[in-house]
């Protein structure tokens, strides 16, 4: 799976380190800046209304009341408000969203590519993405229209006339809508899981005519080979040993166990088990450290980059085969306790050929495990990777180890000889065939620590969606505290769109703002919103500059203003794409707890800040009223 | 106030209802009615239904109806173009980041949004079969992706029933992608045994049983031919589905070319004998009889048949003779009269052989040729007055025939009609079959390391030599083929023969019987000879030095061994490779690259303009250089 940005440990991410100032400090600084700015803004508004001297007291009183409200918020009253929000949501027929979701699942089979190489990925991606969008929309509508409707219908007065604090109103709404969303999400999760498991489940039978004895080179019968029936757009070939146990080849991302069963009359039948290997949650241990992946060039000299073979996507670097070029992954915390029977290594390497070679043969490679301190290395282990597929290789516990001083090999132990005392080791990869290249990125090779239940990972994926939903609810409630329903909805929607397209907006911003940006530097061509619109209606190619003149100058200035606003907006809203984890679930990788921790902390920070902002907005509205 | 609002609402509803009436009338569907006598009568329906019917725009007429596609188009509320555009960008992104599952899913979604946009099917099928398949290192994965592109096209043909371009494109993929890729051997093998894939389109689209090759399995070239034939059938029977974007001349040549390719690849796969010859016979029949006699629409506004050239020429000759009789004079006489009026230097230029003319004489001769050219009308003018009308009519007819002759010649040269005809005629002979079989056997023996004959088992060396004799005989009969890919394909086997000889410590014969093939098609051999000649020249220039000893590959200029009777007589004292000597090393480099390009072009469509520009204007196959003298000059 492609992971372009390294996942830091939770504390590396949270606290200041060599990698940056840390999320906590960033949050504190941002909070301080926003507090100061909003106080100044509040003072300006109050000054306009009450005069400069009284404004000071109004603002100070507001803050003091806020602190008091926060300190004296009653959980009982908050839950009562939450119950009210739930009742209101149920009255607004929120279950329709679930019905829509069921309808989508009913017809999903029409749109999903059932002949895909990996149908599991598509099924999982579909249910997670559909749920994500649907739940966010639901949260948006619930949160954005609730308070404005109450204010419009004046039902809010039945609440505010009671001894209820504004914090309790805001927290209660957030809590109530979150509860409703959580229940819906839980139902969707359950239905989705059943949909995925049932959708991918299928059976094969064995074609009797295809059964052939499998013979060794000496002619001895080693088992049976055969073919299964065509089901779900594929069929498998299989091999069963003389003990009657075997398995099929991998097709469409899965395989089956095949067992021979002897009947009452002594006849042998073959049973094909359920699909395996598709719904997984691999726990990868990625390389780590200041230089997690480094390269040796063809002369064996160290470097940080490999060769670019002309691929437009510069994710992978390549090493030349048949030379001294190597790719070296450095691992930390490798211990006997984690990997008692050796190192299970999985890799997905790219292959680039400069000549055809033997078309039917896979480009061979060699792997060595190296102790970074002593230089002891394992004897090369040969492997034949398949491009774009995960190749599994087990480095055994006992293996031949080469002494760097004498270059002599002896029997050795993986952990004693090739792993340092503090758990460091390196994996060296070499392409064996001259003229051919291997391509690799940091996460293309990992140690397989464990395989966790798919269901658990699936739930983790839903927790990510839940976090996004909570943030959207908070934004909706905040905007609805001072805007009318429709406008609050539009504002929340804008925050979602900005959050999902943060990279794109940043690209437009950088491509337009930087006057020295070359064509290749520009991430997104075509200028800002006004320029894009102008190009659209005049059918002007994005690579051609606008004709110089007053018109283009005005367009550029207007865009500049809008893009600055958009840039500030993207800095304020959460990056929803980073809160998503559907790819991990779809590609069969366990969602890293560190990543989940980071997402939860980010969401919590937004919830706290936005809810407090919502409270002040509501408070200001009450004051105005 | 409320009453006013009520009236306004009523007025709105009434207006909506009124507007719906004409819409309903316009959109009324056609209805089939059965009267008491069980006669069916179709009522045409509203104007919209009528127009849909007239232009075949209803989905049922365009192709299969897919509920998913219809739903998606409805769900996008007419914005399916925009949605397709976004998905197209996503497809490009997924292709860039090599996310193949999502790439294919996006492609499928695009097509559900735009099922009747033919170019989308073509583009994305090519994207999948050609651009995506090559991203995979394992040939089995490549095959799977090529197949996926073809399946995509087949789906396209279902959504767009009777669309000739899609049907022909499918045939193209079956033939060219499976048959000409680097992995052609593997692809052909995998395809022939991929019965699940066969069942996807057979028998409801084309019948795979009609494409069983000599191996007993379906052959990709024969399947390709069936798809081309289906496309052809649509063009022939559906005037409302005209052929767009491809010349009819090329389009109609595909089925026969697929048949020829099948015969070629069968031989490559080692199938020889009576059945192989029969395949060539069928190929000739399809090429010369079926394709040759097909009416081909031309850009001149009339149709022509490729195989009517001979008749046209005979008729032209007859017409000319009749005209001469009517006119009481001959073309030659008139030409001589005109020639007599030329200036002396023009006459001299004309009489000088072209290769001996100076630049000025070339220009003079060009102008003089135009001056002495006699038209049919000029000859007709000589006819006596009572026969003048008849002569004019005949002159016009002959002129028309000459124009037709020229046009057929041009069209034939575009598809290399004569070359393929000759190739089929040659390949179906017992001699060609024997020659190929011997080379194939010799290669097998070499692979098995059976080098020389022993205890009744024939060895590679003897088999090769027997094969070269057979090939020499064949080239003697058809010297035009010396320049052809057919001859070029022998080079690796000749190199194997050289290896066999070196294993036996024998020298490659200086008077090798097929030396001309090496001269024309083997870069390595040409360079070797060049080097030897340069060394010899250098040795000759240095006083007192002796000529370097011959390595056995090249006869020394002027010192060629005497040819035997079967090989003809060499040109006395002529250098072995006179044309090579004239080139500088740099020019040789350019020639090599050009040669490679030409070879690549010939692999795609052999014997097109690049090989022999002169042939494009002449239907004759014989090349001035390719004659028996050339063959024997280099054979000793």
């Amino acid at each position: 799976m492609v992971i372009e940005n390294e996942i830091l440990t939770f504390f590396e991410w949270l606290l200041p380190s060599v990698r940056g100032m840390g999320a906590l400090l960033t949050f504190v600084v941002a909070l301080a800046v926003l507090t100061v700015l909003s106080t100044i803004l509040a003072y300006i508004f109050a000054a306009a209304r009450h005069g400069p001297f009284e404004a000071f007291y109004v603002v100070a009183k507001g803050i003091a009341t806020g602190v008091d409200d926060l300190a004296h918020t009653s959980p009982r009253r908050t839950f009562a408000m939450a119950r009210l929000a739930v009742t209101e949501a149920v009255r607004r027929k929120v279950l329709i969203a679930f019905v829509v979701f069921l309808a989508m699942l009913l017809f999903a089979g029409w749109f999903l590519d059932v002949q895909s190489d990996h149908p599991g990925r598509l099924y999982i991606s579909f249910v997670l993405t559909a749920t994500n969008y649907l739940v966010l929309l639901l949260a948006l509508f619930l949160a954005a229209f609730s308070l404005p409707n109450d204010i419009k219908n004046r039902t809010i007065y039945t609440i505010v006339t009671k001894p209820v604090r504004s914090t309790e109103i805001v927290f209660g709404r957030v809590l109530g809508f979150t509860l409703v969303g959580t229940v819906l999400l839980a139902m969707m999760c359950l239905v989705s899981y059943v949909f995925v498991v049932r959708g991918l489940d299928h059976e094969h039978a064995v074609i009797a005519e295809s059964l052939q004895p499998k013979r060794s080179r000496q002619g001895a019968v080693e088992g049976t080979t055969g073919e299964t029936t065509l089901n779900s757009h594929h069929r498998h070939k299989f091999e069963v040993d003389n003990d009657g146990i075997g398995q099929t080849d991998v097709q469409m991302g899965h395989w089956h166990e095949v067992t021979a069963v002897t009947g009452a009359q002594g006849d042998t039948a073959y049973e094909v088990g359920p699909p395996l290997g598709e719904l997984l949650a691999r726990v990868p241990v990625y390389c780590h450290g200041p230089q997690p992946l480094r390269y040796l060039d063809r002369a064996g000299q160290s470097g940080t980059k490999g060769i670019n073979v002309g691929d437009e996507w510069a994710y992978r670097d390549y090493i030349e085969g048949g030379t001294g070029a190597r790719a070296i992954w450095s691992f930390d915390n490798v211990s006997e306790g984690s990997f008692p029977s050796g190192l299970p290594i999985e890799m997905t390497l790219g292959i680039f050929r400069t000549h055809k070679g033997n078309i039917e043969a896979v480009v061979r490679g060699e792997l060595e495990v190296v102790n970074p301190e002593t230089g002891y290395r394992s004897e090369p282990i040969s492997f034949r990777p398949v491009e774009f597929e995960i190749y599994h290789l087990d480095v055994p516990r006992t293996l031949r180890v080469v002494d760097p001083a004498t270059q002599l090999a002896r029997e050795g132990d993986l952990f004693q000889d090739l792993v340092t005392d503090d758990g460091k080791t390196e994996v060296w990869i070499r392409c064996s065939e001259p003229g051919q290249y291997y391509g690799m990125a940091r996460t293309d090779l990992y140690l397989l620590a464990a395989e966790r239940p798919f269901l658990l990972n699936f739930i983790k994926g839903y927790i990510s969606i839940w976090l996004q939903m909570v943030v959207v609810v908070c934004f909706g409630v905040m905007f609805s505290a001072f805007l009318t329903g429709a406008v609050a909805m539009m504002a929340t929607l804008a925050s979602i769109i900005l959050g999902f397209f943060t990279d794109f907006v940043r690209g437009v911003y950088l491509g337009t703002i930087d006057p020295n940006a070359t064509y290749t530097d520009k991430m997104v061509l075509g200028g800002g919103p006004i320029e894009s619109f102008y190009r659209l209606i005049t059918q002007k190619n994005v690579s051609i500059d606008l004709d110089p003149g007053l018109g283009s100058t005005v367009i550029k200035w207007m865009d500049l203003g809008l893009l600055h606003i958009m840039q500030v907006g993207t800095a304020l809203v959460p990056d929803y794409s980073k809160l998503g984890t559907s790819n991990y679930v779809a590609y069969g990788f366990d969602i890293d707890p560190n990543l989940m921790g980071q997402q939860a902390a980010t969401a919590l920070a937004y919830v706290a800040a936005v809810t407090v902002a919502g409270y002040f907005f509501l408070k200001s509205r009450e004051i105005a009223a | 106030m409320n009453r006013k609002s009520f009236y306004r609402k009523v007025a709105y509803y009434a207006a909506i209802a009124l507007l719906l009436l004409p819409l309903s009338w316009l959109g009324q569907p056609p209805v089939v009615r059965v009267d008491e006598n069980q006669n069916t009568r179709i009522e045409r329906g509203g104007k919209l239904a009528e127009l849909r019917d007239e232009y075949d725009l209803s989905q049922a007429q365009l192709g299969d109806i897919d509920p998913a596609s219809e739903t998606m188009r409805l769900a996008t509320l007419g914005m399916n173009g925009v949605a397709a555009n976004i998905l197209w960008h996503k497809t490009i992104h997924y292709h860039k980041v090599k996310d193949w599952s999502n790439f294919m899913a996006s492609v499928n979604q695009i097509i559900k949004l735009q099922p009747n946009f033919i170019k989308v099917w073509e583009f994305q099928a090519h994207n999948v079969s050609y651009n995506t398949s090559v991203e995979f290192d394992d040939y089995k994965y490549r095959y799977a992706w090529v197949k996926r592109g073809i399946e995509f096209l087949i789906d396209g043909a279902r959504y767009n029933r009777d669309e000739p371009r899609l049907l022909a494109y499918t045939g193209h993929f079956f033939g060219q992608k499976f048959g000409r890729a680097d992995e052609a051997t593997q692809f052909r093998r995998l395809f022939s045994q991929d019965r699940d894939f066969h069942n996807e389109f057979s028998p409801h689209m084309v019948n795979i049983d009609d494409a069983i090759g000599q191996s007993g399995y379906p052959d990709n070239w024969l399947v390709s031919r069936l798809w081309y034939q289906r496309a052809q059938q649509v063009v022939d029977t559906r005037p409302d589905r005209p052929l767009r974007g491809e010349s009819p001349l090329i389009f109609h040549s595909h089925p026969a070319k697929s048949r020829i390719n099948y015969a070629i690849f069968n031989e490559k796969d080692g199938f020889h004998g009576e059945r192989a010859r029969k395949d060539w016979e069928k190929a000739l029949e399809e090429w010369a009889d079926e394709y040759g006699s097909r009416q081909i629409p031309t850009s001149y506004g009339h149709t022509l048949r490729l195989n009517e050239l001979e008749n046209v020429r005979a008729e032209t000759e007859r017409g000319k003779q009749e005209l001469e009789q009517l006119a009481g004079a001959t073309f030659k006489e008139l030409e001589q009269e005109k020639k007599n009026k030329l200036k002396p230097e023009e006459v001299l230029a004309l009489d000088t052989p072209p290769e001996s003319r100076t630049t000025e004489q070339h220009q003079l001769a060009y102008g003089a040729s135009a001056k002495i050219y006699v038209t049919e009308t000029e000859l007709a003018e000589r006819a006596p007055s009572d026969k003048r009308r008849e002569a004019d009519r005949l002159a016009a007819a002959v002129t028309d025939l000459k124009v037709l002759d020229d046009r057929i010649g041009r069209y034939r040269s575009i598809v290399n009609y004569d070359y393929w005809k000759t190739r089929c005629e040659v390949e179906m002979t017992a001699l060609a079959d024997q020659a190929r079989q011997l080379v194939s056997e010799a290669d097998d023996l070499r692979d098995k390391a059976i080098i020389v004959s022993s205890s009744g088992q024939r060895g590679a060396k003897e088999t090769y030599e027997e094969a070269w004799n057979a090939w020499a005989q064949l080239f003697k009969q058809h010297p035009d083929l010396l320049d052809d890919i057919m001859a070029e394909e022998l080079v690796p086997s000749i190199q194997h023969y050289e290896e066999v000889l070196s294993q036996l410590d024998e020298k490659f014969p200086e008077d090798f019987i097929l030396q001309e093939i090496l001269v024309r098609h083997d870069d390595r051999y040409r360079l070797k000879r060049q080097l030897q000649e340069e060394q010899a020249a250098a040795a000759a220039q240095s006083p007192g030095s002796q000529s370097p000893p011959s390595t056995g590959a090249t006869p020394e200029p002027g010192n060629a061994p005497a040819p035997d009777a079967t090989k003809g007589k060499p040109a006395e004292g002529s250098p072995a490779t006179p044309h090579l000597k004239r080139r500088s090393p740099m020019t040789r480099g350019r020639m090599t690259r050009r040669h490679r390009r030409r070879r690549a072009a010939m692999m795609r469509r052999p014997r097109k303009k690049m090989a022999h520009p002169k042939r494009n204007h002449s239907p004759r196959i014989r090349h001035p250089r390719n004659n028996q003298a050339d063959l024997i000059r280099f054979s000793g």
Side-chain angles (χ1 to χ4, degrees), chain B residues 3-224:
Chain B
R3 187 173 289 267
K4 205 172 170 182
S5 163
F6 173 74
Y7 287 142
R8 198 168 59 235
K9 278 176 189 164
V10 169
Y12 287 155
Y13 287 129
I16 290 168
L18 274 174
L19 283 171
L20 281 175
L21 281 176
L23 198 65
S24 159
W25 177 71
L26 283 170
Q28 217 172 5
V31 181
V32 180
R33 293 199 189 283
V34 183
D35 60 19
E36 298 99 15
N37 304 325
Q38 297 301 308
N39 295 324
T40 51
R41 182 168 53 84
I42 300 171
E43 288 180 5
R44 297 184 73 185
K47 186 68 185 169
L48 287 177
E50 206 178 298
L51 286 170
R52 259 205 311 268
D53 190 47
E54 190 180 337
Y55 294 104
D56 282 354
L57 285 177
S58 70
Q59 190 58 47
Q61 282 160 325
L62 290 170
D64 288 358
I65 298 172
D66 177 11
S69 171
E70 296 298 319
T71 313
M72 272 179 84
R73 284 197 287 171
L74 272 176
T76 47
L77 303 170
M79 302 285 277
N80 48 340
V82 178
N85 210 9
I86 292 167
L87 284 168
W88 198 281
H89 276 279
K90 278 184 127 181
T91 307
I92 294 168
H93 171 74
Y94 288 136
H95 197 277
K96 192 177 95 174
V97 301
K98 303 176 198 301
D99 184 347
W100 308 119
S101 303
N102 280 320
F103 163 75
M104 202 59 216
S106 303
V107 168
N108 282 326
Q109 281 168 356
I110 291 173
I111 222 64
K112 282 193 163 50
L113 288 165
Q114 303 279 20
N116 304 117
F117 202 143
I118 304 299
K119 267 286 166 198
V120 175
W121 289 102
E122 286 183 6
F123 181 94
Q124 292 297 358
H126 187 278
N127 204 12
V128 171
S129 276
Y130 284 77
N131 302 338
T132 307
S133 70
V134 296
E135 296 281 349
F136 288 78
D137 184 61
D138 190 326
Y139 75 97
K140 285 180 189 153
Y141 283 74
R142 290 188 180 199
Y143 170 76
W145 280 92
V146 171
K147 190 171 93 173
R148 200 160 289 170
I150 296 175
E151 284 168 338
F152 192 73
L153 275 177
I154 294 171
D155 273 351
R158 285 197 188 107
Y159 276 99
N160 302 278
R161 199 181 301 132
D162 293 342
E163 181 53 51
R165 269 194 67 80
L166 275 180
L167 294 168
Y169 214 48
T170 313
H172 176 83
F173 275 45
F174 270 111
Q176 302 295 327
K177 191 58 193 165
F178 281 149
R180 294 217 186 273
D182 284 346
E183 310 84 353
T185 312
Q186 289 81 9
F187 282 179
R188 276 167 52 77
R189 188 183 66 224
L190 287 170
F191 169 72
S192 66
Q193 293 171 14
D194 193 347
R195 63 181 190 281
D196 293 335
F197 183 33
H198 304 157
N199 292 338
E200 283 180 32
F201 57 84
S202 175
H204 47 284
M205 299 198 85
V206 298
N207 192 354
I208 201 86
D209 293 338
D210 297 339
I212 304 297
Q214 286 215 29
S215 61
Y217 292 102
D219 185 277
N220 70 300
W221 288 110
L222 291 181
V223 174
S224 155

Side-chain angles (χ1 to χ4, degrees), chain A residues 2 110-111 113 115-118 121-122 125 207 227 230 235 311-313 316 318 351 353 356 359-363 386-389 587, chain B residues 67-69 71-72 96-102 104-105 108-109 112 135-139 141 145 148 151 182-183 186 189 195-196 200:
Chain A
V2 172
W110 286 8
F111 308 100
D113 180 12
Q115 296 191 42
S116 165
D117 275 346
H118 295 276
R121 286 181 194 169
L122 291 184
S125 291
I207 300 173
E227 211 173 54
L230 179 78
R235 68 169 84 230
D311 205 335
E312 189 187 359
W313 189 42
R316 290 194 170 94
Y318 286 75
I351 298 171
R353 295 188 187 224
K356 275 194 284 182
I359 288 176
E360 297 197 22
V362 177
V363 176
V386 178
E387 205 177 13
F388 305 118
E389 293 292 341
Y587 282 79
Chain B
S69 171
T71 313
M72 272 179 84
K96 192 177 95 174
V97 301
K98 303 176 198 301
D99 184 347
W100 308 119
S101 303
N102 280 320
M104 202 59 216
N108 282 326
Q109 281 168 356
K112 282 193 163 50
E135 296 281 349
F136 288 78
D137 184 61
D138 190 326
Y139 75 97
Y141 283 74
W145 280 92
R148 200 160 289 170
E151 284 168 338
D182 284 346
E183 310 84 353
Q186 289 81 9
R189 188 183 66 224
R195 63 181 190 281
D196 293 335
E200 283 180 32

Side-chain angles (χ1 to χ4, degrees), chain B residues 370-394:
Chain B
K371 283 181 189 171
I372 65 169
Y373 181 76
V374 180
T375 64
E376 287 72 31
T377 319
E378 284 171 340
L379 192 65
E381 282 168 3
R382 296 292 179 96
S385 55
D386 58 325
K387 293 179 181 171
R388 179 64 191 274
R389 178 172 291 194
E390 177 62 12
D392 283 344
R393 189 196 57 76
L394 205 55

Side-chain angles (χ1 to χ4, degrees), chain A residues 341-499:
Chain A
S341 52
L343 290 183
I345 294 176
E346 290 199 334
M347 59 182 116
T348 318
L349 299 180
I351 298 171
F352 179 78
R353 295 188 187 224
T354 55
H355 59 88
K356 275 194 284 182
N358 182 355
I359 288 176
E360 297 197 22
V362 177
V363 176
R364 283 176 294 109
E366 284 174 354
L367 178 144
E368 293 165 303
V369 182
V370 179
N371 186 322
E373 286 177 1
T374 61
Y376 275 86
R377 62 182 61 239
S378 67
E379 273 192 343
I381 301 166
S382 186
F383 65 94
R384 291 170 181 271
V386 178
E387 205 177 13
F388 305 118
E389 293 292 341
I390 294 174
Y391 182 85
H392 186 98
L393 189 149
D394 283 311
V395 178
R397 181 70 193 266
T398 310
L399 69 178
R400 302 276 296 169
V401 176
V402 180
D403 184 336
T406 60
Q407 294 299 319
L408 293 174
R410 61 167 171 79
E411 285 293 317
D413 181 81
L414 177 69
F415 290 99
Q416 281 175 13
D417 296 312
L418 304 175
V419 180
T420 63
D421 294 340
D422 57 350
K424 286 190 170 63
T425 190
E426 289 179 347
V427 174
W428 291 33
I429 290 282
R430 170 181 181 263
C431 174
S432 306
E433 297 187 20
Q436 319 292 32
Y437 291 72
Y438 275 168
M440 61 280 296
R442 196 182 57 80
T443 54
D444 278 346
L445 186 143
Y446 56 85
L447 308 178
L448 183 66
E451 277 185 9
R452 298 232 168 94
F454 170 74
L455 177 61
L456 194 66
N457 208 33
F458 196 68
I459 292 170
K460 282 186 187 175
Y462 268 83
I463 290 174
S464 292
I465 299 173
W466 181 81
L467 289 173
Q468 293 176 48
M469 181 199 74
V470 175
V471 175
V472 171
V473 165
C474 291
F475 268 94
V477 171
M478 180 192 75
F479 285 123
S480 69
F482 67 105
L483 298 170
T484 58
V487 182
M489 188 200 76
M490 292 304 289
T492 316
L493 190 64
S495 76
I496 296 173
I497 291 171
L498 267 180

